[in-house]
Amino acid sequence: MKQFGKILKFELKGYLRNKVFVGITIFLVVAIAVVMFIPNIIAAFESEDEGDVISTDLPTMLVYAEDESLSAIVKEYFTSAFADYNVKVAQGSVDELKENIISGNAECAFVMNSASSYTYYVNNLSMYDSNTAIADTVLQEVYRVSAMVQNGLTPEQAGEIMSVRIESDTETLGKDQMQNFFYTYIMIFALYMVILLYGQMVATNVATEKSSRAMEVLVTSAKPTSMMFGKVLASCIAGFSQLVLVFGTAILLYNVNKEALSNPLIASIFDIPIELFIYLIVFFVLGFLIYAFMFGAIGSTASKLEDINTSVMPITFLFIIAFMVVMFSMSSGSVDNTAMIVCSYIPFTSPMAMFTRICMSTVAWYEIAASIAILIGSTIGIGILSARIYRVGVLLYGMPPKIGTILKTVFKR
């Protein structure tokens, strides 16, 4: 236990002295701080410029129709639909209207061929121009009102029919997937990045010590099992601390700038129930450990640092497959499909699959308990097996040993 404590302390100091680790953490915290304060920064600049800026007129949108009554009703509807434009009825001919657009006197124009047909004129069509989409919706209403008036209804009666509001209430008995989607996606993506990043780091650190022959000195003064668990737990603590620091900063600064960030989407990201935080910690720690143990064991079998990427590729692909299954299920809106249910009980995929189901669906408590129990048992078993592989692998040099040979040696001991 004393050896384990020393190794854990040494590895944690290594992460704190690692300029890349510290630099990335500081960069993420600063980036989040800047993003969270952007609305206040923009508001400050706008308030400073308010006294100097002279209010400008809205850009002009022209409406033209040979039928004056049609142009009048279209102008009325367009005025309320296009609040960012000064809508005017064009006088003269279509050619004069085009000249006004080219010269910059007007930004765009709608020439009504009939109540259900128009031509849209604009000088430079922006890729974000949505005027025609808005106009299509508005003109459908104009056409229906005109048809009602022609059939004997007054304009007021037609307007009341078209403006009727449908009232409805939605009562969610389970989970609201749309509300939970964004923070679930962020948590899963963070889990994916941290496990791959720190898992690779564990494997690289082990292979580096082995290739430099430092491992031969270390194994004489410490038990390989203590070294294995010390490295893995140190990387787990470092990764979890980084997550807590980054997300903690985001939550803190969100609460500081809550009024400026009054957006339903942003609010849904930070409106995370406390029980989901607990599940996140459980699945993060267990999922990280199970993969870090495997990365550490594989790293101990690599004779050269250059062999690491090839050696850990099967584990990386396994984790990527789990990530893709979860992402496709989330995007399809069906997180309780057969693939997700099966993945919820496989220890290599359950950290992401079961956590996603808990966030976006209603999962029975015994299913959660069974998944966590399987994951705990698998983590302990893989940890013990990885420690044995580590003990054998750190003293093997030359050509990369075959998995079968290593397992035979492990179980003979």
Side-chain angles (χ1 to χ4, degrees):
M1 192 67 184
K2 187 177 180 181
Q3 291 178 348
F4 167 76
K6 287 182 178 179
I7 293 170
L8 178 64
K9 187 177 180 181
F10 174 79
E11 292 293 333
L12 286 174
K13 284 183 178 179
Y15 282 107
L16 294 176
R17 291 170 183 166
N18 189 320
K19 293 181 180 179
V20 176
F21 173 80
V22 175
I24 290 175
T25 305
I26 293 174
F27 170 77
L28 290 174
V29 170
V30 172
I32 287 174
V34 171
V35 170
M36 290 298 180
F37 279 104
I38 280 178
N40 287 333
I41 295 172
I42 294 175
F45 279 109
E46 287 179 350
S47 62
E48 289 178 3
D49 296 340
E50 277 179 0
D52 301 327
V53 176
I54 300 173
S55 59
T56 57
D57 293 333
L58 294 174
T60 300
M61 173 185 288
L62 298 177
V63 174
Y64 177 83
E66 292 185 358
D67 184 351
E68 293 184 359
S69 61
L70 177 60
S71 61
I73 191 171
V74 170
K75 176 187 178 297
E76 179 183 348
Y77 276 82
F78 273 22
T79 299
S80 59
F82 294 98
D84 295 333
Y85 286 92
N86 182 18
V87 182
K88 295 181 178 180
V89 175
Q91 304 296 327
S93 64
V94 175
D95 291 334
E96 291 175 346
L97 177 147
K98 293 179 182 179
E99 289 178 3
N100 284 327
I101 295 175
I102 294 172
S103 63
N105 294 328
E107 186 170 303
C108 58
F110 285 88
V111 175
M112 306 301 302
N113 304 317
S114 66
S116 59
S117 174
Y118 68 85
T119 302
Y120 178 61
Y121 291 95
V122 62
N123 194 22
N124 296 310
L125 182 61
S126 169
M127 60 186 295
Y128 302 108
D129 192 323
S130 59
N131 289 342
T132 55
I134 298 173
D136 290 345
T137 303
V138 173
L139 291 175
Q140 283 181 349
E141 185 174 347
V142 172
Y143 180 82
R144 291 166 185 162
V145 170
S146 299
M148 291 178 186
V149 171
Q150 290 175 4
N151 282 278
L153 293 177
T154 65
E156 291 76 14
Q157 290 174 327
E160 288 178 4
I161 293 173
M162 295 302 300
S163 62
V164 65
R165 290 188 176 184
I166 307 299
E167 296 182 359
S168 66
D169 292 319
T170 301
E171 185 175 344
T172 304
L173 302 179
K175 301 287 181 66
D176 185 346
Q177 290 192 356
M178 181 57 69
Q179 180 182 0
N180 299 354
F181 177 84
F182 296 103
Y183 62 72
T184 304
Y185 180 86
I186 292 172
M187 294 298 181
I188 292 298
F189 191 76
L191 186 64
Y192 170 80
M193 293 298 295
V194 170
I195 288 179
L196 278 189
L197 175 63
Y198 285 95
Q200 288 273 6
M201 198 175 293
V202 170
T204 303
N205 289 343
V206 172
T208 301
E209 290 177 357
K210 183 178 177 180
S211 62
S212 65
R213 299 285 179 169
M215 192 69 72
E216 296 178 1
V217 178
L218 291 173
V219 295
T220 60
S221 57
K223 292 181 180 180
T225 305
S226 298
M227 294 172 59
M228 174 73 169
F229 281 88
K231 288 179 179 296
V232 169
L233 288 178
S235 62
C236 180
I237 293 171
F240 186 70
S241 299
Q242 192 175 52
L243 271 184
V244 169
L245 185 60
V246 171
F247 283 106
T249 302
I251 293 171
L252 175 63
L253 295 181
Y254 168 74
N255 288 315
V256 171
N257 299 278
K258 199 167 187 177
E259 294 183 1
L261 296 169
S262 56
N263 184 295
L265 174 60
I266 298 175
S268 70
I269 294 174
F270 288 95
D271 187 19
I272 307 174
I274 188 65
E275 63 268 18
L276 291 186
F277 266 122
I278 297 173
Y279 283 125
L280 173 67
I281 293 171
V282 171
F283 284 109
F284 170 82
V285 172
L286 294 175
F288 183 91
L289 289 176
I290 200 169
Y291 275 96
F293 282 137
M294 290 191 293
F295 275 116
I298 294 296
S300 68
T301 64
S303 299
K304 297 181 295 183
L305 190 59
E306 293 81 5
D307 297 333
I308 282 295
N309 289 333
T310 304
S311 300
V312 301
M313 194 173 293
I315 301 175
T316 305
F317 278 143
L318 177 64
F319 192 63
I320 291 174
I321 290 171
F323 178 74
M324 295 304 294
V325 169
V326 170
M327 287 295 105
F328 283 132
S329 299
M330 287 181 64
S331 60
S332 66
S334 175
V335 294
D336 281 328
N337 55 56
T338 304
M340 284 288 284
I341 293 174
V342 173
C343 287
S344 297
Y345 301 102
I346 299 174
F348 305 112
T349 57
S350 61
M352 288 191 294
M354 181 54 83
F355 178 71
T356 302
R357 288 184 63 206
I358 292 171
C359 290
M360 301 187 66
S361 179
T362 302
V363 185
W365 67 267
Y366 55 84
E367 294 184 57
I368 300 173
S371 177
I372 293 176
I374 293 171
L375 187 55
I376 291 174
S378 301
T379 302
I380 295 171
I382 290 175
I384 294 171
L385 178 61
S386 298
R388 291 181 177 180
I389 294 174
Y390 182 90
R391 183 176 58 190
V392 174
V394 292
L395 298 177
L396 293 177
Y397 292 90
M399 293 296 291
K402 295 181 179 179
I403 297 296
T405 304
I406 294 175
L407 292 178
K408 286 180 181 178
T409 307
V410 166
F411 287 113
K412 279 181 182 179
R413 291 175 173 255

